[in-house]
Amino acid sequence: MTADLSVSLTALAVGLAVVVAVMAAGLTSAKRTERLTIVDTLWPLGFVAVGLASALVSLTGDTDPVLPWVLAGLTAVWGLRLAAYLHRRNHGKDEDPRYAELAEQDGRSFAEVALKRVFLPQGIAMYLVATPLMVGAGTQDPLWWLVGIGAAVWLLGFVFESVGDAQLARFKADPSNQGQLMDQGLWRYTRHPNYFGDACVWAGLWLVAASSWAGVATAFSPIAMAFFLTKVTGAANNEKGMKKSKPGYDEYVRRTSGFLPWFPKKA
């Protein structure tokens, strides 16, 4: 379980530059259009960029030639799918109510809100969560059995997130479901299959990177992602609006697991 620490440190520095560049580009676009929703699409794309940059940095040292590209590839599959889905969902629509409310209630200028309440904290969160990709670039002798387990966890998460998103999109596309509550498919077993899937994706990526002690030390990455998804910008924030807008949501909460998939409770 060894790593070329010089490569990992270089990847951490390059990754920081990539995150700053991605968030700066997003901030510039948001200020020009006065729309904060673009950060949703940039979020997964930023990870894709960090993964690719880290894999390229790995070419400069005495590291395993495959593992950094496994990390970059898994991240790219997840990130590009999610970015495309979020772009389709948000394109041509009004500002996301979460961001609109944030901009209205903060009291500062739009530029200040965009920087201090959206792009700066999301950039910090992105860098913390992406550490397995950067540290993993320095891995010298991967534990391939652990890589296999990590890839399996990643696949479970990718299936949950992509299938959950597809089921919700089809549900919303049916005019007869206008204003109704989505409680079908994976949404019958967890109120947030997409967020559960996201958490599994990053737990899997951490396991793939944990073939060195430096990689093991990045365990805060999946923990932070799970915290963000359940307590900060994900489930908790989403459910505030759902309780106000969806009839029967309290009953749905009573019978359906909040995060981990499980069989619904009987009435």
Side-chain angles (χ1 to χ4, degrees):
M1 297 181 68
T2 59
D4 186 334
L5 292 181
S6 64
V7 171
S8 295
L9 291 173
T10 301
L12 286 167
V14 171
L16 178 60
V18 169
V19 171
V20 170
V22 169
M23 288 296 142
L27 177 61
T28 300
S29 176
K31 289 165 65 175
R32 185 179 68 252
T33 61
E34 293 200 347
R35 285 175 56 85
L36 297 170
T37 310
I38 188 175
V39 75
D40 289 349
T41 303
L42 285 180
W43 171 257
L45 291 179
F47 289 108
V48 175
V50 171
L52 177 58
S54 300
L56 290 172
V57 168
S58 74
L59 299 176
T60 66
D62 181 22
T63 63
D64 183 83
V66 176
L67 186 69
W69 295 99
V70 171
L71 285 166
L74 293 177
T75 304
V77 172
W78 164 80
L80 293 175
R81 190 226 53 101
L82 181 56
Y85 169 77
L86 293 173
H87 176 72
R88 289 194 303 269
R89 187 190 72 179
N90 297 330
H91 183 66
K93 297 182 179 179
D94 294 334
E95 179 75 290
D96 187 302
R98 295 170 299 162
Y99 296 127
E101 183 178 3
L102 178 66
E104 291 173 2
Q105 294 183 353
D106 190 275
R108 291 178 287 186
S109 69
F110 180 87
E112 281 190 284
V113 172
L115 173 62
K116 297 179 180 179
R117 297 292 301 277
V118 179
F119 288 93
L120 181 58
Q122 291 221 20
I124 294 172
M126 179 184 293
Y127 188 72
L128 290 175
V129 173
T131 49
L133 308 180
M134 297 176 279
V135 171
T139 303
Q140 293 179 314
D141 51 347
L143 301 174
W144 289 108
W145 61 269
L146 185 59
V147 173
I149 294 175
V153 174
W154 175 92
L155 180 60
L156 172 67
F158 183 76
V159 168
F160 256 86
E161 185 174 26
S162 56
V163 171
D165 283 343
Q167 289 176 339
L168 182 61
R170 285 197 299 270
F171 181 85
K172 289 183 174 180
D174 186 344
S176 65
N177 293 326
Q178 184 69 30
Q180 299 301 307
L181 177 66
M182 171 55 164
D183 60 354
Q184 305 166 16
L186 294 178
W187 300 81
R188 183 170 181 263
Y189 303 98
T190 167
R191 301 199 298 275
H192 303 284
N194 47 351
Y195 296 148
F196 169 75
D198 221 346
C200 287
V201 161
W202 283 95
L205 289 171
W206 170 72
L207 287 170
V208 171
S211 288
S212 69
W213 291 115
V216 172
T218 65
F220 57 83
S221 163
I223 294 173
M225 178 61 94
F227 177 75
F228 296 146
L229 291 170
T230 57
K231 302 298 184 182
V232 185
T233 61
N237 196 29
N238 179 268
E239 293 202 349
K240 290 180 181 178
M242 296 291 285
K243 289 179 179 180
K244 297 177 182 178
S245 63
K246 300 297 180 182
Y249 195 77
D250 287 338
E251 172 59 22
Y252 178 60
V253 169
R254 191 199 64 78
R255 69 175 186 267
T256 309
S257 174
F259 194 70
L260 298 176
W262 195 246
F263 297 101
K265 297 177 182 178
K266 295 181 179 179

